[in-house]
Amino acid sequence: MNDASKYEEPARLLKALAHPTRLCIVAGLLNDSCNVNKMKECLNLPQSTVSQQLAILRNQGIVDGVRHGTEVFYKVANEKVKDIVKVLLDDEEIVFK
Amino acid sequence: MNDASKYEEPARLLKALAHPTRLCIVAGLLNDSCNVNKMKECLNLPQSTVSQQLAILRNQGIVDGVRHGTEVFYKVANEKVKDIVKVLLDDEEIVFK
DNA sequence: ACATAATATTATAATATAGTATTTTTAAAA
DNA sequence: TTTTAAAAATACTATATTATAATATTATGT
C-alpha cells in the first residue's frame, strides 16, 4: 500500500508554498490582488527574485496573473491553498500596502 | 510591512511536510500510531531513510514517538498539521497496514 | 556479558533550490 | 520609432536536500 506516487503532487504543492517569501506573497494575495512592483516594495526584494518566486507559484497553479498594460496583477488561484494558508497562519488578515 | 521573519516558522513547518515520503507518513499516522518497521514495510524504503524522514518531522514537532521495548510508536503531534493534511488530501482515510 | 531486533545517527555523493545581476520581452508614452 | 517602465527569463554561484550505506545506540532475551 501507500504508493508514494499518490503523494507526489500534493507534496509538490506544499513545497511551492514552503518558503517565507512565497508564503508571504500568497498570504498577501488572499484578499486582494497585487502587482509585482508593489510586492517587491513590500517585500523589500529585487524584482527578479519576486518574479522568480511568482513563477514557482504559477507553475503549481497556486497563483495566476492578469496583465493590465505594463503591470500584471496576481491573485490566488487555488481554493485548497487558500484554506491551507488560512489554517497555517491562524486566519490573520494580511494585505500588501 | 510583511516582514518575512513572520513567515519563516510556518514555512519551515510546510517544508517538513513537503515531501512524498513524509507526507505519506503523516497521512498514515492521522488515525493510528505506527512503529518504524511497519512503516518501512509499507513504504518499501530502507529503515535508515524512514528514520531520517521521521527525524525531520520530529524536529518540527509534527510527530512524536513513544518507545515500547525496542519499538517506537509514532503519532501526529500537531493539530494544525492534521487539519492541513486533511484539506490537502481531501480527507481520505489512509492507514498503514 | 553476548546476541539479536528495532531504531537512530553519521557520512557522503548526487541533485535541487535560492538569490541576484544581467539580459530580454512586453506594453505604453513621448 | 525611440524611450521608458514593468515583468520575465537566463546564467551562475552558494547552499540545502535527498537517498542510502555504514555505524551506533537502545532495549530485550539467553
mmCIF file of all heavy atoms in Angstrom, chain D residues 4-21:
data_model
loop_
_atom_site.group_PDB
_atom_site.id
_atom_site.type_symbol
_atom_site.label_atom_id
_atom_site.label_comp_id
_atom_site.label_asym_id
_atom_site.label_seq_id
_atom_site.Cartn_x
_atom_site.Cartn_y
_atom_site.Cartn_z
ATOM 1 P P DT D 4 14.810 57.575 -21.677
ATOM 2 O OP1 DT D 4 15.009 58.896 -21.060
ATOM 3 O OP2 DT D 4 15.942 56.627 -21.832
ATOM 4 O "O5'" DT D 4 13.635 56.836 -20.899
ATOM 5 C "C5'" DT D 4 12.319 57.391 -20.913
ATOM 6 C "C4'" DT D 4 11.366 56.440 -20.226
ATOM 7 O "O4'" DT D 4 10.913 55.421 -21.156
ATOM 8 C "C3'" DT D 4 11.964 55.701 -19.022
ATOM 9 O "O3'" DT D 4 11.094 55.867 -17.925
ATOM 10 C "C2'" DT D 4 12.069 54.245 -19.484
ATOM 11 C "C1'" DT D 4 10.919 54.167 -20.504
ATOM 12 N N1 DT D 4 11.037 53.110 -21.550
ATOM 13 C C2 DT D 4 9.893 52.450 -21.951
ATOM 14 O O2 DT D 4 8.807 52.684 -21.498
ATOM 15 N N3 DT D 4 10.103 51.495 -22.938
ATOM 16 C C4 DT D 4 11.300 51.153 -23.519
ATOM 17 O O4 DT D 4 11.354 50.299 -24.375
ATOM 18 C C5 DT D 4 12.459 51.876 -23.037
ATOM 19 C C7 DT D 4 13.812 51.584 -23.597
ATOM 20 C C6 DT D 4 12.279 52.813 -22.082
ATOM 21 P P DA D 5 11.413 55.268 -16.499
ATOM 22 O OP1 DA D 5 11.075 56.291 -15.489
ATOM 23 O OP2 DA D 5 12.748 54.634 -16.537
ATOM 24 O "O5'" DA D 5 10.317 54.122 -16.399
ATOM 25 C "C5'" DA D 5 8.939 54.457 -16.548
ATOM 26 C "C4'" DA D 5 8.124 53.201 -16.339
ATOM 27 O "O4'" DA D 5 8.278 52.340 -17.483
ATOM 28 C "C3'" DA D 5 8.570 52.396 -15.122
ATOM 29 O "O3'" DA D 5 7.407 52.047 -14.401
ATOM 30 C "C2'" DA D 5 9.292 51.191 -15.705
ATOM 31 C "C1'" DA D 5 8.665 51.045 -17.098
ATOM 32 N N9 DA D 5 9.584 50.554 -18.125
ATOM 33 C C8 DA D 5 10.890 50.914 -18.316
ATOM 34 N N7 DA D 5 11.463 50.300 -19.340
ATOM 35 C C5 DA D 5 10.448 49.491 -19.844
ATOM 36 C C6 DA D 5 10.408 48.588 -20.929
ATOM 37 N N6 DA D 5 11.455 48.352 -21.727
ATOM 38 N N1 DA D 5 9.241 47.953 -21.151
ATOM 39 C C2 DA D 5 8.198 48.201 -20.358
ATOM 40 N N3 DA D 5 8.120 49.027 -19.308
ATOM 41 C C4 DA D 5 9.294 49.650 -19.106
ATOM 42 P P DA D 6 7.444 51.056 -13.179
ATOM 43 O OP1 DA D 6 6.310 51.419 -12.310
ATOM 44 O OP2 DA D 6 8.824 50.954 -12.652
ATOM 45 O "O5'" DA D 6 7.095 49.677 -13.891
ATOM 46 C "C5'" DA D 6 5.800 49.487 -14.444
ATOM 47 C "C4'" DA D 6 5.662 48.041 -14.830
ATOM 48 O "O4'" DA D 6 6.589 47.756 -15.890
ATOM 49 C "C3'" DA D 6 5.986 47.067 -13.701
ATOM 50 O "O3'" DA D 6 4.931 46.138 -13.612
ATOM 51 C "C2'" DA D 6 7.301 46.427 -14.115
ATOM 52 C "C1'" DA D 6 7.281 46.564 -15.632
ATOM 53 N N9 DA D 6 8.587 46.695 -16.260
ATOM 54 C C8 DA D 6 9.642 47.460 -15.860
ATOM 55 N N7 DA D 6 10.694 47.375 -16.651
ATOM 56 C C5 DA D 6 10.296 46.493 -17.632
ATOM 57 C C6 DA D 6 10.953 45.979 -18.776
ATOM 58 N N6 DA D 6 12.198 46.295 -19.118
ATOM 59 N N1 DA D 6 10.271 45.118 -19.558
ATOM 60 C C2 DA D 6 9.020 44.786 -19.213
ATOM 61 N N3 DA D 6 8.294 45.208 -18.166
ATOM 62 C C4 DA D 6 9.003 46.065 -17.416
ATOM 63 P P DA D 7 4.940 45.010 -12.494
ATOM 64 O OP1 DA D 7 3.539 44.662 -12.204
ATOM 65 O OP2 DA D 7 5.859 45.376 -11.411
ATOM 66 O "O5'" DA D 7 5.558 43.824 -13.334
ATOM 67 C "C5'" DA D 7 4.809 43.325 -14.454
ATOM 68 C "C4'" DA D 7 5.617 42.287 -15.177
ATOM 69 O "O4'" DA D 7 6.845 42.871 -15.643
ATOM 70 C "C3'" DA D 7 6.024 41.083 -14.325
ATOM 71 O "O3'" DA D 7 5.406 39.946 -14.906
ATOM 72 C "C2'" DA D 7 7.549 41.045 -14.407
ATOM 73 C "C1'" DA D 7 7.841 41.885 -15.636
ATOM 74 N N9 DA D 7 9.104 42.583 -15.622
ATOM 75 C C8 DA D 7 9.554 43.477 -14.684
ATOM 76 N N7 DA D 7 10.744 43.971 -14.945
ATOM 77 C C5 DA D 7 11.100 43.361 -16.140
ATOM 78 C C6 DA D 7 12.254 43.452 -16.953
ATOM 79 N N6 DA D 7 13.288 44.240 -16.653
ATOM 80 N N1 DA D 7 12.273 42.712 -18.088
ATOM 81 C C2 DA D 7 11.223 41.926 -18.367
ATOM 82 N N3 DA D 7 10.093 41.750 -17.684
ATOM 83 C C4 DA D 7 10.095 42.507 -16.575
ATOM 84 P P DA D 8 5.713 38.472 -14.435
ATOM 85 O OP1 DA D 8 4.522 37.666 -14.743
ATOM 86 O OP2 DA D 8 6.275 38.513 -13.085
ATOM 87 O "O5'" DA D 8 6.854 38.049 -15.458
ATOM 88 C "C5'" DA D 8 6.568 38.064 -16.853
ATOM 89 C "C4'" DA D 8 7.724 37.430 -17.603
ATOM 90 O "O4'" DA D 8 8.875 38.288 -17.518
ATOM 91 C "C3'" DA D 8 8.159 36.070 -17.069
ATOM 92 O "O3'" DA D 8 8.261 35.206 -18.183
ATOM 93 C "C2'" DA D 8 9.492 36.341 -16.388
ATOM 94 C "C1'" DA D 8 10.010 37.539 -17.172
ATOM 95 N N9 DA D 8 10.863 38.457 -16.434
ATOM 96 C C8 DA D 8 10.595 39.057 -15.228
ATOM 97 N N7 DA D 8 11.537 39.872 -14.821
ATOM 98 C C5 DA D 8 12.493 39.810 -15.831
ATOM 99 C C6 DA D 8 13.739 40.434 -15.994
ATOM 100 N N6 DA D 8 14.257 41.300 -15.115
ATOM 101 N N1 DA D 8 14.439 40.152 -17.108
ATOM 102 C C2 DA D 8 13.921 39.298 -18.000
ATOM 103 N N3 DA D 8 12.760 38.640 -17.957
ATOM 104 C C4 DA D 8 12.094 38.943 -16.825
ATOM 105 P P DA D 9 8.740 33.700 -18.047
ATOM 106 O OP1 DA D 9 8.031 32.906 -19.080
ATOM 107 O OP2 DA D 9 8.697 33.321 -16.617
ATOM 108 O "O5'" DA D 9 10.269 33.790 -18.487
ATOM 109 C "C5'" DA D 9 10.590 34.383 -19.742
ATOM 110 C "C4'" DA D 9 12.097 34.323 -19.950
ATOM 111 O "O4'" DA D 9 12.736 35.316 -19.119
ATOM 112 C "C3'" DA D 9 12.736 32.982 -19.591
ATOM 113 O "O3'" DA D 9 13.627 32.666 -20.650
ATOM 114 C "C2'" DA D 9 13.470 33.270 -18.271
ATOM 115 C "C1'" DA D 9 13.832 34.740 -18.442
ATOM 116 N N9 DA D 9 13.971 35.505 -17.209
ATOM 117 C C8 DA D 9 13.096 35.561 -16.161
ATOM 118 N N7 DA D 9 13.470 36.362 -15.187
ATOM 119 C C5 DA D 9 14.685 36.868 -15.628
ATOM 120 C C6 DA D 9 15.610 37.772 -15.059
ATOM 121 N N6 DA D 9 15.431 38.349 -13.862
ATOM 122 N N1 DA D 9 16.724 38.058 -15.773
ATOM 123 C C2 DA D 9 16.897 37.476 -16.963
ATOM 124 N N3 DA D 9 16.102 36.609 -17.604
ATOM 125 C C4 DA D 9 15.009 36.344 -16.873
ATOM 126 P P DT D 10 14.496 31.303 -20.629
ATOM 127 O OP1 DT D 10 14.453 30.792 -22.002
ATOM 128 O OP2 DT D 10 14.042 30.492 -19.481
ATOM 129 O "O5'" DT D 10 15.992 31.772 -20.307
ATOM 130 C "C5'" DT D 10 16.422 33.038 -20.761
ATOM 131 C "C4'" DT D 10 17.857 33.272 -20.326
ATOM 132 O "O4'" DT D 10 17.876 34.068 -19.121
ATOM 133 C "C3'" DT D 10 18.680 32.017 -20.014
ATOM 134 O "O3'" DT D 10 19.935 32.179 -20.643
ATOM 135 C "C2'" DT D 10 18.771 32.009 -18.491
ATOM 136 C "C1'" DT D 10 18.737 33.492 -18.174
ATOM 137 N N1 DT D 10 18.197 33.902 -16.847
ATOM 138 C C2 DT D 10 18.887 34.853 -16.125
ATOM 139 O O2 DT D 10 19.930 35.353 -16.512
ATOM 140 N N3 DT D 10 18.313 35.191 -14.921
ATOM 141 C C4 DT D 10 17.143 34.696 -14.397
ATOM 142 O O4 DT D 10 16.740 35.075 -13.320
ATOM 143 C C5 DT D 10 16.472 33.711 -15.213
ATOM 144 C C7 DT D 10 15.199 33.116 -14.720
ATOM 145 C C6 DT D 10 17.019 33.363 -16.384
ATOM 146 P P DA D 11 21.041 31.038 -20.629
ATOM 147 O OP1 DA D 11 21.771 31.128 -21.909
ATOM 148 O OP2 DA D 11 20.425 29.766 -20.187
ATOM 149 O "O5'" DA D 11 22.017 31.538 -19.484
ATOM 150 C "C5'" DA D 11 22.454 32.894 -19.471
ATOM 151 C "C4'" DA D 11 23.418 33.068 -18.316
ATOM 152 O "O4'" DA D 11 22.684 33.369 -17.103
ATOM 153 C "C3'" DA D 11 24.260 31.825 -17.994
ATOM 154 O "O3'" DA D 11 25.561 32.292 -17.669
ATOM 155 C "C2'" DA D 11 23.546 31.192 -16.818
ATOM 156 C "C1'" DA D 11 23.008 32.432 -16.092
ATOM 157 N N9 DA D 11 21.793 32.251 -15.298
ATOM 158 C C8 DA D 11 20.734 31.426 -15.550
ATOM 159 N N7 DA D 11 19.765 31.518 -14.662
ATOM 160 C C5 DA D 11 20.215 32.487 -13.779
ATOM 161 C C6 DA D 11 19.659 33.054 -12.613
ATOM 162 N N6 DA D 11 18.465 32.713 -12.140
ATOM 163 N N1 DA D 11 20.386 33.995 -11.981
ATOM 164 C C2 DA D 11 21.581 34.337 -12.458
ATOM 165 N N3 DA D 11 22.221 33.878 -13.539
ATOM 166 C C4 DA D 11 21.468 32.943 -14.159
ATOM 167 P P DC D 12 26.789 31.224 -17.471
ATOM 168 O OP1 DC D 12 27.966 31.791 -18.124
ATOM 169 O OP2 DC D 12 26.303 29.841 -17.807
ATOM 170 O "O5'" DC D 12 27.017 31.294 -15.903
ATOM 171 C "C5'" DC D 12 27.101 32.582 -15.267
ATOM 172 C "C4'" DC D 12 27.095 32.390 -13.770
ATOM 173 O "O4'" DC D 12 25.730 32.328 -13.282
ATOM 174 C "C3'" DC D 12 27.757 31.072 -13.334
ATOM 175 O "O3'" DC D 12 28.596 31.356 -12.241
ATOM 176 C "C2'" DC D 12 26.594 30.211 -12.925
ATOM 177 C "C1'" DC D 12 25.653 31.272 -12.361
ATOM 178 N N1 DC D 12 24.241 30.846 -12.228
ATOM 179 C C2 DC D 12 23.475 31.432 -11.220
ATOM 180 O O2 DC D 12 23.991 32.281 -10.498
ATOM 181 N N3 DC D 12 22.186 31.024 -11.069
ATOM 182 C C4 DC D 12 21.671 30.103 -11.874
ATOM 183 N N4 DC D 12 20.411 29.750 -11.681
ATOM 184 C C5 DC D 12 22.442 29.499 -12.912
ATOM 185 C C6 DC D 12 23.713 29.895 -13.053
ATOM 186 P P DT D 13 29.768 30.352 -11.804
ATOM 187 O OP1 DT D 13 31.029 30.818 -12.380
ATOM 188 O OP2 DT D 13 29.298 28.965 -12.043
ATOM 189 O "O5'" DT D 13 29.796 30.633 -10.244
ATOM 190 C "C5'" DT D 13 29.725 31.984 -9.760
ATOM 191 C "C4'" DT D 13 29.155 31.955 -8.354
ATOM 192 O "O4'" DT D 13 27.742 31.673 -8.428
ATOM 193 C "C3'" DT D 13 29.791 30.874 -7.468
ATOM 194 O "O3'" DT D 13 30.154 31.484 -6.228
ATOM 195 C "C2'" DT D 13 28.698 29.827 -7.318
ATOM 196 C "C1'" DT D 13 27.427 30.651 -7.504
ATOM 197 N N1 DT D 13 26.244 29.917 -8.055
ATOM 198 C C2 DT D 13 25.010 30.141 -7.507
ATOM 199 O O2 DT D 13 24.818 30.913 -6.582
ATOM 200 N N3 DT D 13 23.976 29.428 -8.082
ATOM 201 C C4 DT D 13 24.068 28.538 -9.124
ATOM 202 O O4 DT D 13 23.081 27.965 -9.541
ATOM 203 C C5 DT D 13 25.404 28.344 -9.664
ATOM 204 C C7 DT D 13 25.606 27.379 -10.789
ATOM 205 C C6 DT D 13 26.421 29.036 -9.111
ATOM 206 P P DA D 14 30.773 30.634 -5.034
ATOM 207 O OP1 DA D 14 31.776 31.479 -4.376
ATOM 208 O OP2 DA D 14 31.116 29.279 -5.560
ATOM 209 O "O5'" DA D 14 29.542 30.475 -4.046
ATOM 210 C "C5'" DA D 14 28.772 31.627 -3.696
ATOM 211 C "C4'" DA D 14 27.667 31.185 -2.759
ATOM 212 O "O4'" DA D 14 26.639 30.508 -3.520
ATOM 213 C "C3'" DA D 14 28.129 30.200 -1.687
ATOM 214 O "O3'" DA D 14 27.502 30.576 -0.465
ATOM 215 C "C2'" DA D 14 27.656 28.842 -2.209
ATOM 216 C "C1'" DA D 14 26.405 29.224 -2.983
ATOM 217 N N9 DA D 14 26.081 28.329 -4.102
ATOM 218 C C8 DA D 14 26.932 27.814 -5.044
ATOM 219 N N7 DA D 14 26.340 27.049 -5.940
ATOM 220 C C5 DA D 14 25.006 27.065 -5.547
ATOM 221 C C6 DA D 14 23.856 26.448 -6.089
ATOM 222 N N6 DA D 14 23.872 25.670 -7.160
ATOM 223 N N1 DA D 14 22.678 26.683 -5.452
ATOM 224 C C2 DA D 14 22.671 27.464 -4.370
ATOM 225 N N3 DA D 14 23.684 28.101 -3.778
ATOM 226 C C4 DA D 14 24.839 27.851 -4.419
ATOM 227 P P DT D 15 27.807 29.779 0.899
ATOM 228 O OP1 DT D 15 27.810 30.769 1.991
ATOM 229 O OP2 DT D 15 28.932 28.841 0.681
ATOM 230 O "O5'" DT D 15 26.473 28.923 1.048
ATOM 231 C "C5'" DT D 15 25.211 29.571 0.867
ATOM 232 C "C4'" DT D 15 24.133 28.517 0.824
ATOM 233 O "O4'" DT D 15 24.166 27.801 -0.419
ATOM 234 C "C3'" DT D 15 24.245 27.470 1.940
ATOM 235 O "O3'" DT D 15 23.056 27.564 2.697
ATOM 236 C "C2'" DT D 15 24.400 26.142 1.184
ATOM 237 C "C1'" DT D 15 23.792 26.466 -0.165
ATOM 238 N N1 DT D 15 24.254 25.656 -1.326
ATOM 239 C C2 DT D 15 23.312 25.001 -2.088
ATOM 240 O O2 DT D 15 22.121 25.036 -1.860
ATOM 241 N N3 DT D 15 23.823 24.280 -3.152
ATOM 242 C C4 DT D 15 25.152 24.159 -3.512
ATOM 243 O O4 DT D 15 25.483 23.491 -4.479
ATOM 244 C C5 DT D 15 26.093 24.877 -2.658
ATOM 245 C C7 DT D 15 27.561 24.810 -2.971
ATOM 246 C C6 DT D 15 25.604 25.586 -1.630
ATOM 247 P P DA D 16 22.703 26.520 3.880
ATOM 248 O OP1 DA D 16 21.927 27.270 4.876
ATOM 249 O OP2 DA D 16 23.923 25.776 4.254
ATOM 250 O "O5'" DA D 16 21.707 25.524 3.136
ATOM 251 C "C5'" DA D 16 20.658 26.051 2.335
ATOM 252 C "C4'" DA D 16 19.748 24.909 1.908
ATOM 253 O "O4'" DA D 16 20.321 24.218 0.791
ATOM 254 C "C3'" DA D 16 19.497 23.869 2.988
ATOM 255 O "O3'" DA D 16 18.122 23.548 2.931
ATOM 256 C "C2'" DA D 16 20.411 22.706 2.584
ATOM 257 C "C1'" DA D 16 20.455 22.842 1.062
ATOM 258 N N9 DA D 16 21.690 22.418 0.414
ATOM 259 C C8 DA D 16 22.966 22.773 0.745
ATOM 260 N N7 DA D 16 23.883 22.255 -0.044
ATOM 261 C C5 DA D 16 23.159 21.513 -0.956
ATOM 262 C C6 DA D 16 23.539 20.712 -2.055
ATOM 263 N N6 DA D 16 24.816 20.535 -2.428
ATOM 264 N N1 DA D 16 22.574 20.106 -2.754
ATOM 265 C C2 DA D 16 21.298 20.287 -2.397
ATOM 266 N N3 DA D 16 20.807 21.014 -1.380
ATOM 267 C C4 DA D 16 21.806 21.604 -0.695
ATOM 268 P P DT D 17 17.504 22.391 3.864
ATOM 269 O OP1 DT D 17 16.172 22.859 4.281
ATOM 270 O OP2 DT D 17 18.507 21.942 4.856
ATOM 271 O "O5'" DT D 17 17.286 21.204 2.816
ATOM 272 C "C5'" DT D 17 16.911 21.506 1.500
ATOM 273 C "C4'" DT D 17 16.654 20.217 0.728
ATOM 274 O "O4'" DT D 17 17.880 19.797 0.105
ATOM 275 C "C3'" DT D 17 16.160 19.030 1.553
ATOM 276 O "O3'" DT D 17 15.116 18.414 0.809
ATOM 277 C "C2'" DT D 17 17.407 18.156 1.702
ATOM 278 C "C1'" DT D 17 18.146 18.458 0.401
ATOM 279 N N1 DT D 17 19.633 18.356 0.443
ATOM 280 C C2 DT D 17 20.278 17.673 -0.565
ATOM 281 O O2 DT D 17 19.695 17.114 -1.494
ATOM 282 N N3 DT D 17 21.660 17.655 -0.467
ATOM 283 C C4 DT D 17 22.428 18.247 0.517
ATOM 284 O O4 DT D 17 23.649 18.162 0.489
ATOM 285 C C5 DT D 17 21.680 18.948 1.542
ATOM 286 C C7 DT D 17 22.415 19.621 2.650
ATOM 287 C C6 DT D 17 20.339 18.968 1.451
ATOM 288 P P DT D 18 14.401 17.073 1.277
ATOM 289 O OP1 DT D 18 13.047 17.068 0.715
ATOM 290 O OP2 DT D 18 14.635 16.891 2.721
ATOM 291 O "O5'" DT D 18 15.250 15.983 0.486
ATOM 292 C "C5'" DT D 18 15.167 15.931 -0.928
ATOM 293 C "C4'" DT D 18 15.855 14.675 -1.436
ATOM 294 O "O4'" DT D 18 17.268 14.833 -1.253
ATOM 295 C "C3'" DT D 18 15.447 13.391 -0.713
ATOM 296 O "O3'" DT D 18 14.917 12.480 -1.678
ATOM 297 C "C2'" DT D 18 16.733 12.886 -0.070
ATOM 298 C "C1'" DT D 18 17.828 13.622 -0.822
ATOM 299 N N1 DT D 18 19.030 14.023 -0.033
ATOM 300 C C2 DT D 18 20.288 13.724 -0.516
ATOM 301 O O2 DT D 18 20.468 13.129 -1.562
ATOM 302 N N3 DT D 18 21.323 14.147 0.271
ATOM 303 C C4 DT D 18 21.233 14.826 1.469
ATOM 304 O O4 DT D 18 22.248 15.150 2.079
ATOM 305 C C5 DT D 18 19.882 15.114 1.918
ATOM 306 C C7 DT D 18 19.686 15.846 3.202
ATOM 307 C C6 DT D 18 18.858 14.704 1.165
ATOM 308 P P DA D 19 14.299 11.085 -1.205
ATOM 309 O OP1 DA D 19 13.351 10.647 -2.248
ATOM 310 O OP2 DA D 19 13.876 11.165 0.199
ATOM 311 O "O5'" DA D 19 15.566 10.127 -1.287
ATOM 312 C "C5'" DA D 19 16.242 9.980 -2.525
ATOM 313 C "C4'" DA D 19 17.409 9.030 -2.326
ATOM 314 O "O4'" DA D 19 18.431 9.698 -1.582
ATOM 315 C "C3'" DA D 19 17.039 7.773 -1.521
ATOM 316 O "O3'" DA D 19 17.454 6.643 -2.252
ATOM 317 C "C2'" DA D 19 17.769 7.937 -0.200
ATOM 318 C "C1'" DA D 19 18.918 8.865 -0.567
ATOM 319 N N9 DA D 19 19.364 9.743 0.506
ATOM 320 C C8 DA D 19 18.578 10.412 1.408
ATOM 321 N N7 DA D 19 19.261 11.160 2.253
ATOM 322 C C5 DA D 19 20.591 10.969 1.871
ATOM 323 C C6 DA D 19 21.800 11.482 2.356
ATOM 324 N N6 DA D 19 21.872 12.328 3.386
ATOM 325 N N1 DA D 19 22.939 11.093 1.741
ATOM 326 C C2 DA D 19 22.852 10.242 0.708
ATOM 327 N N3 DA D 19 21.766 9.690 0.162
ATOM 328 C C4 DA D 19 20.656 10.103 0.792
ATOM 329 P P DT D 20 17.057 5.182 -1.724
ATOM 330 O OP1 DT D 20 16.868 4.339 -2.923
ATOM 331 O OP2 DT D 20 15.998 5.258 -0.715
ATOM 332 O "O5'" DT D 20 18.407 4.738 -1.008
ATOM 333 C "C5'" DT D 20 19.636 4.916 -1.703
ATOM 334 C "C4'" DT D 20 20.792 4.629 -0.769
ATOM 335 O "O4'" DT D 20 21.080 5.776 0.057
ATOM 336 C "C3'" DT D 20 20.542 3.480 0.206
ATOM 337 O "O3'" DT D 20 21.736 2.725 0.282
ATOM 338 C "C2'" DT D 20 20.311 4.177 1.526
ATOM 339 C "C1'" DT D 20 21.300 5.322 1.370
ATOM 340 N N1 DT D 20 21.120 6.433 2.316
ATOM 341 C C2 DT D 20 22.233 7.124 2.746
ATOM 342 O O2 DT D 20 23.361 6.860 2.360
ATOM 343 N N3 DT D 20 21.984 8.130 3.636
ATOM 344 C C4 DT D 20 20.760 8.508 4.136
ATOM 345 O O4 DT D 20 20.659 9.419 4.933
ATOM 346 C C5 DT D 20 19.630 7.748 3.643
ATOM 347 C C7 DT D 20 18.256 8.070 4.118
ATOM 348 C C6 DT D 20 19.866 6.771 2.777
ATOM 349 P P DA D 21 21.669 1.134 0.344
ATOM 350 O OP1 DA D 21 21.377 0.640 -1.016
ATOM 351 O OP2 DA D 21 20.831 0.731 1.482
ATOM 352 O "O5'" DA D 21 23.195 0.822 0.671
ATOM 353 C "C5'" DA D 21 24.221 1.534 -0.029
ATOM 354 C "C4'" DA D 21 25.381 1.803 0.918
ATOM 355 O "O4'" DA D 21 25.047 2.933 1.771
ATOM 356 C "C3'" DA D 21 25.698 0.640 1.850
ATOM 357 O "O3'" DA D 21 27.114 0.524 1.946
ATOM 358 C "C2'" DA D 21 25.066 1.057 3.168
ATOM 359 C "C1'" DA D 21 25.219 2.564 3.131
ATOM 360 N N9 DA D 21 24.214 3.305 3.899
ATOM 361 C C8 DA D 21 22.864 3.077 3.965
ATOM 362 N N7 DA D 21 22.213 3.926 4.744
ATOM 363 C C5 DA D 21 23.210 4.756 5.220
ATOM 364 C C6 DA D 21 23.163 5.866 6.099
ATOM 365 N N6 DA D 21 22.061 6.335 6.644
ATOM 366 N N1 DA D 21 24.333 6.475 6.370
ATOM 367 C C2 DA D 21 25.456 6.014 5.807
ATOM 368 N N3 DA D 21 25.621 4.984 4.975
ATOM 369 C C4 DA D 21 24.439 4.389 4.719
#
